[in-house]
Amino acid sequence: QAFFCLLLCIPWGSSCPPSCQCTERAGAKAVLCSSQHLEEIPKDIPRDVVFLKLDANSITRIPNNAFRHLSHLEEIDLSRNAIEKIDRAAFRGVAAGLRSLDLSGNRIRSIPKEALLALNAKLRLANNPWHCECALQEVLWEARLDLDSVRDITCHTAPREEYVGKPLLQVLDAGANFCSVRQRTTDVAMFVTMFAWFAMVIVYVICYVRHNREDSCRHGDYLRSLPSGQAHAE
């Protein structure tokens, strides 16, 4: 009877993942899963966790709703993994309360801005093979980046060769604007579409006029071929 009472008294979500250590830090629950060769985020993380360390593993992706059930979460350390893909809703459910998110030292080339701009957390994005583009530029300007790590956000690839290997902040300070490149591309596409539509209208008008002219000519030839009295009657 005492055993069953003990089971009922244990709160749901209080178990600890097998590869992790659950402890307390500053009076709050911390789950430490560093260097455990994890390839994905554990599914059985306690719901009342506040500090979550998943650094130095082999995690490759952060799927949608990966932390949604962890409503008390304030800090996530995902540094030094092999993360290549972050889904748009990866941090849904924890965006408001999250104070720190470390994604440094991964394999991230691009990231949907929606995944990060909704966060209030301080971000660390350094030492990733970034492709410098508009979404990354918007994250740099609008998200709460850790100031000490901003200079280590480097262009691994870029639309122009002279930007490769340079810190993104330096490239932007030099006057580059990756978002204006996208805008120009959009403008060109719109211009081409409008030109094609205008050309179709012109071709239609020309064909219509030519068709009417041919009909008039055929009718004139027909009238001229009739006897003069019958032609006047018509």
Side-chain angles (χ1 to χ4, degrees):
Q1 186 176 0
F3 175 74
F4 286 109
C5 180
L6 179 62
L7 287 179
L8 292 174
C9 291
I10 296 175
W12 289 106
S14 63
S15 60
C16 195
S19 302
C20 305
Q21 178 186 357
C22 294
T23 182
E24 284 197 2
R25 196 174 91 183
K29 178 162 287 188
V31 177
L32 312 179
C33 310
S34 306
S35 305
Q36 296 298 315
H37 308 290
L38 299 174
E39 296 183 357
E40 60 181 18
I41 298 168
K43 299 290 192 295
D44 49 354
I45 297 172
R47 292 179 178 273
D48 55 348
V49 62
V50 176
F51 307 106
L52 177 59
K53 286 185 67 65
L54 294 164
D55 55 305
N57 282 291
S58 302
I59 299 170
T60 59
R61 179 190 175 195
I62 307 178
N64 287 328
N65 304 311
F67 308 99
R68 190 170 186 173
H69 62 294
L70 307 177
S71 57
H72 300 283
L73 200 56
E74 294 183 6
E75 294 185 16
I76 307 176
D77 186 354
L78 284 158
S79 63
R80 296 181 296 143
N81 273 277
I83 298 170
E84 297 180 353
K85 181 175 176 56
I86 299 177
D87 291 349
R88 293 179 181 273
F91 303 103
R92 180 183 293 164
V94 297
L98 205 61
R99 294 191 290 110
S100 175
L101 174 61
D102 193 344
L103 293 169
S104 59
N106 280 281
R107 300 176 185 173
I108 307 170
R109 297 190 69 252
S110 63
I111 191 168
K113 64 181 181 180
E114 295 85 357
L116 297 183
L117 293 183
L119 296 174
N120 293 319
K122 183 175 289 187
L123 300 173
R124 296 182 65 89
L125 303 176
N127 302 317
N128 282 284
W130 291 107
H131 174 65
C132 287
E133 57 182 347
C134 182
L136 181 59
Q137 177 179 319
E138 290 179 340
V139 167
L140 184 65
W141 290 146
E142 300 180 36
R144 291 185 58 224
L145 295 181
D146 181 81
L147 297 180
D148 294 334
S149 67
V150 170
R151 61 179 176 271
D152 294 322
I153 300 176
T154 303
C155 297
H156 185 73
T157 57
R160 296 174 60 173
E161 188 65 29
E162 64 260 33
Y163 301 151
V164 175
K166 294 183 178 179
L168 176 59
L169 193 60
Q170 178 183 334
V171 171
L172 296 176
D173 285 343
N177 189 338
F178 299 108
C179 294
S180 67
V181 171
R182 187 176 68 177
Q183 183 62 43
R184 285 198 298 271
T185 302
T186 303
D187 291 344
V188 169
M190 185 177 297
F191 175 78
V192 170
T193 302
M194 291 179 64
F195 179 80
W197 180 84
F198 183 72
M200 289 176 61
V201 172
I202 295 298
V203 169
Y204 173 79
V205 170
I206 291 173
C207 291
Y208 179 78
V209 171
R210 182 176 297 174
H211 178 73
N212 286 347
R213 183 179 298 172
E214 290 174 354
D215 284 348
S216 299
C217 290
R218 283 196 295 269
H219 186 66
D221 293 340
Y222 172 72
L223 291 178
R224 283 192 293 272
S225 67
L226 295 175
S228 57
Q230 186 176 355
H232 286 305
E234 292 189 5

